[in-house]
Amino acid sequence: MATCTVPTIPDKTVTGDSLYGPRACWQEFIDWAWYAHGFQQTYWDDGFGYEDCCNTDLPLARIFGSMWLLNYSADDYWNEDWSNNCLHWARRYVRDQINDLRSLCGDGTAIARSVSGHVELYLGCFYSKDCAGRAETLLHESRHLGGKPHDANFPAGSVFGEGKSGADSTWDYEGAWMYGALYLWWFYADGRRTTTALREAARQRANLVIDNAFATHPGFTIA
Ligand SMILES: [Zn+2]
């Protein structure tokens, strides 16, 4: 593994790691999640957490916590039918798409990337996003693997970089940004086994995506 430095760790109550970390620290869950998402050990050892997988200072435990959130936030979470809302099927979609999951340093701010069939998560995912935000990233990258690349440039004033590629054209394109925002929206609206603060943070993140990641604004925000 390349050498990179863990940044200052944000307040774990705010990011949800103090809530979800202990929940994910459960051997059966870890074994299941590890194989279900194709974690590649060589990318998760040497400081990324393989030897210390319940330590929420480290990337691996932080992604396990977000996977717990992704899997158990619907009221009837075992009901994964596509006809239900996104809170139910997102976990199934992520599981279906991601078969090779890697952790890398990135440049410090980079979040994630899907490339030639695998997903790379960078330090920005583990340390700049909360647990719901990391679940958003997993779903976003899964949508890329599912065959939806970004098809537009970011709009004027976008926090993601005005005029740069990486946006989706419209909400109806049903691309990676839409999937991520939809998940956060449902987590805000009906997320269970979580806190009001984390749900509110998901609403704010979803609105940030809605306002900045579509070439044509969807025309709504989440009130
Ligand atoms: Zn993307």
Side-chain angles (χ1 to χ4, degrees):
M1 188 206 91
T3 304
C4 50
T5 308
V6 170
T8 305
I9 296 166
D11 185 321
K12 292 184 185 178
T13 301
V14 174
T15 59
D17 288 291
S18 57
L19 179 65
Y20 291 100
R23 290 175 175 176
C25 183
W26 166 38
Q27 194 62 51
E28 282 98 314
F29 176 78
I30 288 169
D31 290 346
W32 172 81
W34 184 265
Y35 292 106
H37 302 93
F39 281 84
Q40 302 296 306
Q41 183 183 337
T42 183
Y43 291 91
W44 293 94
D45 54 14
D46 292 337
F48 277 111
Y50 184 79
E51 299 85 358
D52 196 5
C53 71
C54 287
N55 181 351
T56 56
D57 285 355
L58 302 176
L60 184 55
R62 297 173 79 84
I63 205 67
F64 280 151
S66 70
M67 284 176 171
W68 197 101
L69 179 154
L70 178 66
N71 279 279
Y72 300 123
S73 292
D75 182 21
D76 53 339
Y77 56 81
W78 56 88
N79 189 342
E80 301 183 305
D81 197 276
W82 303 116
S83 64
N84 289 317
N85 70 48
C86 181
L87 210 46
H88 294 82
W89 55 255
R91 65 183 207 152
R92 178 178 173 191
Y93 192 79
V94 167
R95 218 168 56 230
D96 284 356
Q97 296 298 332
I98 302 182
N99 301 307
D100 181 331
L101 187 60
R102 307 177 183 187
S103 172
L104 293 158
C105 299
D107 65 4
T109 57
I111 304 294
R113 181 166 85 119
S114 56
V115 48
S116 40
H118 68 263
V119 171
E120 298 179 350
L121 302 176
Y122 307 119
L123 292 187
C125 175
F126 305 116
Y127 298 103
S128 75
K129 303 196 86 181
D130 65 13
C131 285
R134 286 169 231 152
E136 174 211 350
T137 296
L138 291 170
L139 186 56
H140 179 123
E141 297 307 322
S142 295
R143 190 57 173 154
H144 287 320
L145 293 180
K148 284 277 188 173
H150 295 304
D151 68 339
N153 295 334
F154 291 110
S158 171
V159 297
F160 299 120
E162 176 176 338
K164 292 201 309 187
S165 63
D168 288 344
S169 50
T170 63
W171 181 265
D172 291 341
Y173 174 64
E174 298 189 356
W177 289 115
M178 181 271 200
Y179 268 44
L182 185 68
Y183 183 79
L184 292 168
W185 188 345
W186 277 106
F187 183 78
Y188 163 67
D190 201 29
R192 307 297 172 95
R193 303 169 196 88
T194 190
T195 67
T196 304
L198 287 165
R199 287 169 62 178
E200 173 57 23
R203 184 181 76 88
Q204 291 179 19
R205 169 69 190 174
N207 280 336
L208 182 91
V209 170
I210 287 169
D211 285 338
N212 291 277
F214 297 90
T216 300
H217 193 283
F220 52 79
T221 51
I222 304 162

